[in-house]
Amino acid sequence: MITLKKRVSEKTIRRLSHYARCLRYSGTQGRNIITSRDLADTCKISSAAVRKDLASYGEFGKQGSGYDVNRLLENIEKILGTDNPPPVIVIGAGNIGRALIKSGLEGSGGYSYSAVFDCDSSKTGLMCAGLKIRSMTELKEIIDELGEVIAIITVPSGVGQEAVDLLVKAGCNALLSFTLEPLDVPEGVNLRFIEVFTELDILTHSMRKKSRKRK
Amino acid sequence: MITLKKRVSEKTIRRLSHYARCLRYSGTQGRNIITSRDLADTCKISSAAVRKDLASYGEFGKQGSGYDVNRLLENIEKILGTDNPPPVIVIGAGNIGRALIKSGLEGSGGYSYSAVFDCDSSKTGLMCAGLKIRSMTELKEIIDELGEVIAIITVPSGVGQEAVDLLVKAGCNALLSFTLEPLDVPEGVNLRFIEVFTELDILTHSMRKKSRKRK
DNA sequence: GCGTGTGAACCTCTTCACAGCG
DNA sequence: CGCTGTGAAGAGGTTCACACGC
């Protein structure tokens, strides 16, 4: 049974997602039992961290042997809610938006794209990997139909806040943005960022630091 | 002058990247002076954190007024090494790879794409936003020519490790991967991940938790 | 008065080490 | 004997609160 013991950090949630990925892979490799050390090694963390993370939701392991792969995966998916993943919609049918849709969500554990939107009327009506590009005016209607959705925002810089406001108004409270502009959302709406440029900066910093040392 | 006082965390580096972004924006808005509170508000953190981050590299501010926008931006870029950003190459000319290149790196503070590679011979030779798609056999040659580069890996699941090994062998030690498979790199090579699926999992978790509470 | 820079307090997360169970 | 689950110790990061300089 899943029994939450105390407040769990986002770091733990992120790692649970990693564990799920490893377990899906282990499952396809025919493994039935996995130890905290195995999970730790593939995720490049300590085995104690793995055990702590899992133990904060219940006792999923068997002492002396380890964790049953299928049972643990089911439990983690229940914890994350990914046993019944929400539909994903994409806002912006530009380069990135279309590429994401064409790439699909295979291997993600059950997510799939349910709709694409763009405010450019020269794009609406066109198809992208089987999905019709819809006008932003249809947003609320479609979200009402789909229920709770996650929206991935891939609009150009400058209109991000506008897109966010429309989404929030349409009842969406889970957003993932590829834009680099700072965005505001009301309390209770979860907004996350994919920060490609920041990742580049971090890489630049570490390589410059390294070459400085070498001198 | 930039004087490092003690070990600085990656979290601080990430935030420096955010500050740089804010400062570029402030600059274009005609502001000359900015306070730690201003930066903190746009980045949604505390003003004390901003001051701590900046103070760990020197004294950039003026008491009573704040920070000079241009001077602070210059200093942060020098700290990150983005005053002279490394060339970026893309491995994999699939949907995501091509979309990244077509989107360009405007607004990133100076990065630009210098080469694209794909192992599929039906793609090599074709153009993508002005860049010729090159064969992986040319990798070492081009990297030697470009010097220290950052490689963005957008190859399909299954061949990620192969791509990484080739890159490392070619002398690249700064990698940013869009794949979801676990990858191994030797000591000294910096490998980071863009985890779209994990971000979806985190969003799913928080929306499911919220709807549970509401009941 | 205002905002920076900073020690100290606080808090959170990670690692250690071991009891306990299979 | 092996591996989990966990209190305790340790490390790291954030917030507080205030002295100091503009």
Side-chain angles (χ1 to χ4, degrees):
Chain A
M1 206 38 230
I2 297 172
T3 50
L4 209 159
K5 297 186 180 179
K6 49 169 230 167
R7 213 233 155 228
V8 173
S9 73
E10 185 188 299
K11 292 192 162 192
T12 292
I13 302 300
R14 158 164 267 118
R15 285 192 298 259
L16 287 176
S17 171
H18 296 166
Y19 304 155
R21 198 137 79 207
C22 291
L23 290 167
R24 283 185 203 110
Y25 183 72
S26 300
T28 61
Q29 298 292 94
R31 292 194 67 174
N32 292 320
I33 298 287
I34 198 166
T35 69
S36 59
R37 173 145 303 281
D38 296 330
L39 279 169
D41 288 347
T42 38
C43 297
K44 273 100 185 170
I45 55 170
S46 79
S47 63
V50 175
R51 294 198 297 278
K52 267 264 155 76
D53 287 339
L54 298 178
S56 54
Y57 284 98
E59 310 205 348
F60 303 123
K62 279 192 181 59
Q63 280 146 328
S65 57
Y67 300 87
D68 180 280
V69 170
N70 289 326
R71 199 173 80 88
L72 183 56
L73 179 54
E74 273 173 35
N75 276 304
I76 291 179
E77 290 188 333
K78 212 168 284 173
I79 292 164
L80 293 175
T82 52
D83 52 337
N84 181 25
V88 180
I89 67 174
V90 175
I91 313 300
N95 292 312
I96 296 288
R98 292 200 311 273
L100 289 174
I101 291 165
K102 284 186 205 153
S103 300
L105 289 166
E106 317 301 316
S108 66
Y111 293 101
S112 67
Y113 292 115
S114 298
V116 211
F117 297 85
D118 202 294
C119 60
D120 180 350
S121 60
S122 75
K123 283 181 186 159
T124 57
L126 300 177
M127 300 297 283
C128 179
L131 283 180
K132 194 172 84 180
I133 300 174
R134 296 176 180 280
S135 157
M136 289 296 280
T137 57
E138 298 177 78
L139 189 63
K140 181 149 179 50
E141 183 191 344
I142 306 265
I143 289 182
D144 284 345
E145 209 170 283
L146 291 171
E148 284 199 311
V149 304
I150 295 177
I152 300 184
I153 300 170
T154 68
V155 300
S157 228
V159 293
Q161 187 64 53
E162 202 180 325
V164 167
D165 293 344
L166 284 171
L167 282 161
V168 170
K169 202 175 288 179
C172 179
N173 55 12
L175 316 176
L176 180 57
S177 174
F178 275 75
T179 66
L180 67 164
E181 55 189 321
L183 299 172
D184 278 310
V185 290
E187 179 77 31
V189 174
N190 199 348
L191 166 63
R192 305 186 61 83
F193 290 90
I194 300 279
E195 305 184 315
V196 179
F197 293 172
T198 294
E199 300 297 335
L200 292 180
D201 282 352
I202 296 172
L203 286 168
T204 300
H205 170 76
S206 78
M207 67 198 252
R208 289 292 141 82
K209 203 172 50 177
K210 224 174 285 170
S211 28
R212 244 173 273 158
K213 255 186 212 162
R214 221 176 283 138
K215 281 172 196 168
Chain B
M1 206 41 227
I2 296 172
T3 51
L4 208 158
K5 297 186 182 178
K6 50 169 232 168
R7 213 231 154 230
V8 173
S9 73
E10 184 188 298
K11 291 193 162 192
T12 292
I13 302 299
R14 157 164 269 120
R15 285 191 298 257
L16 287 176
S17 171
H18 296 166
Y19 304 154
R21 197 137 78 209
C22 291
L23 290 167
R24 284 185 203 110
Y25 183 72
S26 301
T28 63
Q29 299 291 93
R31 291 193 66 173
N32 293 321
I33 299 286
I34 198 166
T35 68
S36 59
R37 171 145 304 281
D38 295 332
L39 279 170
D41 288 346
T42 37
C43 297
K44 273 102 187 169
I45 56 173
S46 79
S47 63
V50 175
R51 293 198 299 276
K52 266 266 156 71
D53 286 339
L54 299 179
S56 53
Y57 284 97
E59 309 206 347
F60 303 122
K62 279 192 181 59
Q63 282 148 325
S65 57
Y67 301 86
D68 179 281
V69 170
N70 289 326
R71 199 173 81 89
L72 184 56
L73 179 56
E74 273 173 35
N75 276 302
I76 291 179
E77 290 188 333
K78 212 167 284 173
I79 293 165
L80 293 174
T82 52
D83 52 338
N84 182 25
V88 180
I89 66 174
V90 175
I91 312 300
N95 292 313
I96 296 288
R98 292 199 312 273
L100 289 174
I101 290 166
K102 284 186 206 154
S103 300
L105 289 166
E106 318 301 317
S108 65
Y111 293 101
S112 67
Y113 293 115
S114 299
V116 211
F117 297 85
D118 202 297
C119 61
D120 180 351
S121 60
S122 73
K123 281 182 187 159
T124 58
L126 299 178
M127 300 297 284
C128 179
L131 283 180
K132 194 172 84 179
I133 300 174
R134 296 175 181 280
S135 156
M136 288 297 278
T137 57
E138 298 177 78
L139 189 61
K140 183 151 178 43
E141 183 191 345
I142 306 263
I143 288 183
D144 285 344
E145 209 170 285
L146 291 171
E148 285 200 310
V149 304
I150 295 177
I152 301 185
I153 302 171
T154 68
V155 301
S157 228
V159 293
Q161 188 63 55
E162 203 179 324
V164 168
D165 293 344
L166 286 171
L167 282 161
V168 170
K169 202 174 288 177
C172 179
N173 56 12
L175 315 175
L176 179 57
S177 173
F178 275 77
T179 65
L180 67 164
E181 55 188 321
L183 299 172
D184 278 310
V185 289
E187 179 76 32
V189 174
N190 199 347
L191 167 62
R192 306 186 60 82
F193 289 90
I194 299 279
E195 306 185 316
V196 180
F197 293 173
T198 294
E199 299 298 334
L200 292 179
D201 281 352
I202 296 172
L203 285 168
T204 299
H205 171 76
S206 78
M207 66 199 251
R208 287 293 140 78
K209 203 171 51 177
K210 221 173 290 170
S211 24
R212 243 173 270 158
K213 254 187 213 161
R214 220 176 284 137
K215 278 169 197 166

